[in-house]
Amino acid sequence: MSQHAGGGLFRALLHWRPLGRSGKKARRRLPVIVCGLDYAHYRVLTRLARSRRYIALAAIDDYPWHHGTQVEGVRVYYPSEVPSLVERHGVVAVVYCHDDDLAVFADETRERLATQGVPYVCLSPDDEDIEAKLTSGLTH
């Protein structure tokens, strides 16, 4: 199997959900990107893994030794790759924990994200209900 075909199969399996008890197809989880890789981000990734509504599609870090690795089953990408990920996967938000997390984005990347209508939502791993806070951040 080619790498291209294998990648498409992997993406399809990532979003596949079995039929629920009622026989209806389960709703697809909405993809978000987590910007940062410290302990707070790790905890947010862990909480998103248990979410029924959202899924962490990618983690973002600008250190070259992190690129392509996985944290909590989520691949790490460079900041410059975010607009492409948004376009290909319909990402609904970029999640961050600290104000300086967003400093990794070049002005061009910020402009493309603004054009694509992707909001930045600040989440804390201590938030009681990150799903509610994320949903609230998407409606503002």
Side-chain angles (χ1 to χ4, degrees):
M1 179 183 307
S2 72
Q3 282 185 325
H4 188 308
L9 176 62
F10 176 75
R11 282 192 300 278
L13 288 173
L14 179 67
H15 296 294
W16 177 81
R17 307 266 322 255
L19 296 178
R21 289 186 184 167
S22 66
K24 293 182 181 176
K25 197 173 188 180
R27 185 171 60 175
R28 183 177 155 218
R29 293 166 42 183
L30 300 172
V32 299
I33 292 176
V34 176
C35 185
L37 277 183
D38 69 15
Y39 183 66
H41 303 98
Y42 172 81
R43 289 182 53 206
V44 167
L45 284 169
T46 302
R47 293 183 114 190
L48 285 169
R50 294 188 304 247
S51 171
R52 290 177 178 240
R53 186 170 204 177
Y54 299 99
I55 185 169
L57 174 72
I60 302 302
D61 191 66
D62 57 353
Y63 289 118
W65 50 86
H66 290 152
H67 185 259
T69 61
Q70 296 216 352
V71 178
E72 282 297 298
V74 176
R75 183 172 175 186
V76 179
Y77 291 87
Y78 286 127
S80 62
E81 296 176 282
V82 171
S84 176
L85 290 168
V86 168
E87 190 174 306
R88 285 189 319 222
H89 300 284
V91 172
V92 297
V94 172
V95 172
Y96 67 100
C97 297
H98 314 290
D99 290 334
D100 61 344
D101 289 342
L102 301 177
V104 298
F105 292 123
D107 291 340
E108 178 185 324
T109 302
R110 288 177 190 262
E111 289 170 13
R112 285 186 65 193
L113 290 174
T115 301
Q116 292 170 316
V118 178
Y120 302 104
V121 178
C122 185
L123 291 182
S124 167
D126 298 327
D127 291 334
E128 290 295 318
D129 187 354
I130 65 167
E131 284 188 4
K133 187 161 183 183
L134 186 52
T135 300
S136 172
L138 294 176
T139 59
H140 286 50

